[in-house]
Amino acid sequence: MSKNETKPFGLSIHCSNDGKAAFVQYNKQAGYLALRLEKFTKSVLTNSNKQPEGYYYEWSELLGDKITGTYGVVEQSGRVTSAWYLRGKDGKKFELIAYQQTEADNELQKLLLHGVIISFTTSSLDETFSFKYANGKSITTDFGSLDSPNAIRSAYVKDYNFDGYDDIAFSLPDAGMGVYQTFNIFLYNPSTKGFKPLQEPNDARAKCTCLCDVSINQKQKLIYTSCRGGARWWQDIYQINKDNKLIYVRSAEKR
């Protein structure tokens, strides 16, 4: 909400943990504006209070291809400590104050990726989420859930198939001991302008039977999955072909 203004206004900024797939929506307005991430910095604060990591986000507000303003947010200890909006048309800067989020606000998350609103919950008990397209079409699907009220779902925005377009992934702790994260990955197709799930590995040589602790090597265009079997940790390495199929490369014990 704006601070010390004769006509105060409220807004919500939605984004991933690293500031991607962001948009802003003003209170009492049905529409939204896309935000382009310009800066994201992370630092460890070493003052006498021994505060945890702090984060700084800065976005450009977009109306089509035109920049109409700039937003900045500082987050510490899981809460917003300062925020501002710089209006593009006259250079006026508005100081913003954060309101206390409710439990429902914390669970329901929204992201904007390639013009598609992606809604999901951080609760591991809820397995449904939706893609809402600009033409009004909405697709609801399911992904992994856990019968545990304390596990939290995380979202990641990365180019998992190395085609130059960001994709989206969700993870939860594995249903066994919770020592690694299981992933659901949805790849964006620029031709259809839609998302499709990446199928799990299906190769008898692989040590892991799921998409687990997924990481990528952007330079070598490799996808890694890791899991624990008995007392050992294993890593499977894959390439991804033009049809978005995982091609097994090799496995190795992870040390």
Side-chain angles (χ1 to χ4, degrees), residues 201-220:
N202 185 22
D203 193 294
R205 296 168 293 177
K207 299 295 185 180
C208 305
T209 58
C210 65
L211 292 168
C212 317
D213 276 1
V214 176
S215 60
I216 60 175
N217 184 320
Q218 193 74 40
K219 185 176 181 179
Q220 298 182 21

Side-chain angles (χ1 to χ4, degrees), residues 13-16 18-24 32-40 56-73 84-85 112-115 157 166:
I13 292 177
H14 304 266
C15 67
S16 65
D18 56 0
K20 295 181 178 180
F23 69 98
V24 61
Y32 57 84
L33 292 169
L35 299 179
R36 184 177 66 205
L37 182 66
E38 304 292 355
K39 293 181 183 179
F40 172 66
Y56 174 72
Y57 307 84
E58 188 173 307
W59 300 275
S60 291
E61 178 187 73
L62 302 176
L63 183 59
D65 294 329
K66 182 181 178 182
I67 297 176
T68 54
T70 306
Y71 297 83
V73 171
W84 51 267
Y85 169 60
L112 175 66
L113 189 58
H114 307 304
V157 178
D166 277 333

Side-chain angles (χ1 to χ4, degrees), residues 166-215:
D166 277 333
D167 309 300
I168 189 163
F170 303 92
S171 75
L172 278 175
D174 71 279
M177 299 178 64
V179 294
Y180 54 82
Q181 297 280 320
T182 60
F183 275 66
N184 293 93
I185 299 175
F186 296 85
L187 304 176
Y188 178 72
N189 186 327
S191 298
T192 63
K193 302 187 185 303
F195 289 85
K196 279 194 172 182
L198 174 64
Q199 298 302 311
E200 292 189 344
N202 185 22
D203 193 294
R205 296 168 293 177
K207 299 295 185 180
C208 305
T209 58
C210 65
L211 292 168
C212 317
D213 276 1
V214 176
S215 60

Side-chain angles (χ1 to χ4, degrees), residues 8 22 31 43 51 73 88 101 109-110 117 195 215 218 239 241:
S43 61
Q51 295 181 31
V73 171
Q101 290 185 314
Q109 304 291 321
K110 293 182 180 181
I117 295 288
F195 289 85
S215 60
Q218 193 74 40
Q239 294 176 329
N241 67 14

Side-chain angles (χ1 to χ4, degrees), residues 107-127:
E107 285 194 357
L108 181 62
Q109 304 291 321
K110 293 182 180 181
L111 300 174
L112 175 66
L113 189 58
H114 307 304
V116 182
I117 295 288
I118 303 170
S119 302
F120 63 99
T121 65
T122 58
S123 169
S124 62
L125 301 177
D126 191 339
E127 63 181 11

Side-chain angles (χ1 to χ4, degrees), residues 71-189:
Y71 297 83
V73 171
V74 176
E75 182 182 347
Q76 292 176 231
S77 303
R79 57 185 291 269
V80 174
T81 55
S82 66
W84 51 267
Y85 169 60
L86 183 66
R87 191 164 60 191
K89 67 178 182 180
D90 57 8
K92 183 175 180 178
K93 190 173 185 178
F94 299 85
E95 297 296 330
L96 306 175
I97 55 176
Y99 68 91
Q100 183 65 40
Q101 290 185 314
T102 66
E103 185 175 339
D105 291 329
N106 289 327
E107 285 194 357
L108 181 62
Q109 304 291 321
K110 293 182 180 181
L111 300 174
L112 175 66
L113 189 58
H114 307 304
V116 182
I117 295 288
I118 303 170
S119 302
F120 63 99
T121 65
T122 58
S123 169
S124 62
L125 301 177
D126 191 339
E127 63 181 11
T128 60
F129 76 113
S130 67
F131 294 110
K132 186 174 182 180
Y133 292 87
N135 62 6
K137 183 179 180 181
S138 184
I139 297 177
T140 301
T141 186
D142 297 334
F143 51 9
S145 64
L146 279 180
D147 189 18
S148 169
N150 298 320
I152 300 298
R153 178 174 288 110
S154 298
Y156 313 87
V157 178
K158 297 180 181 180
D159 183 5
Y160 285 97
N161 60 348
F162 315 110
D163 65 350
Y165 294 87
D166 277 333
D167 309 300
I168 189 163
F170 303 92
S171 75
L172 278 175
D174 71 279
M177 299 178 64
V179 294
Y180 54 82
Q181 297 280 320
T182 60
F183 275 66
N184 293 93
I185 299 175
F186 296 85
L187 304 176
Y188 178 72
N189 186 327

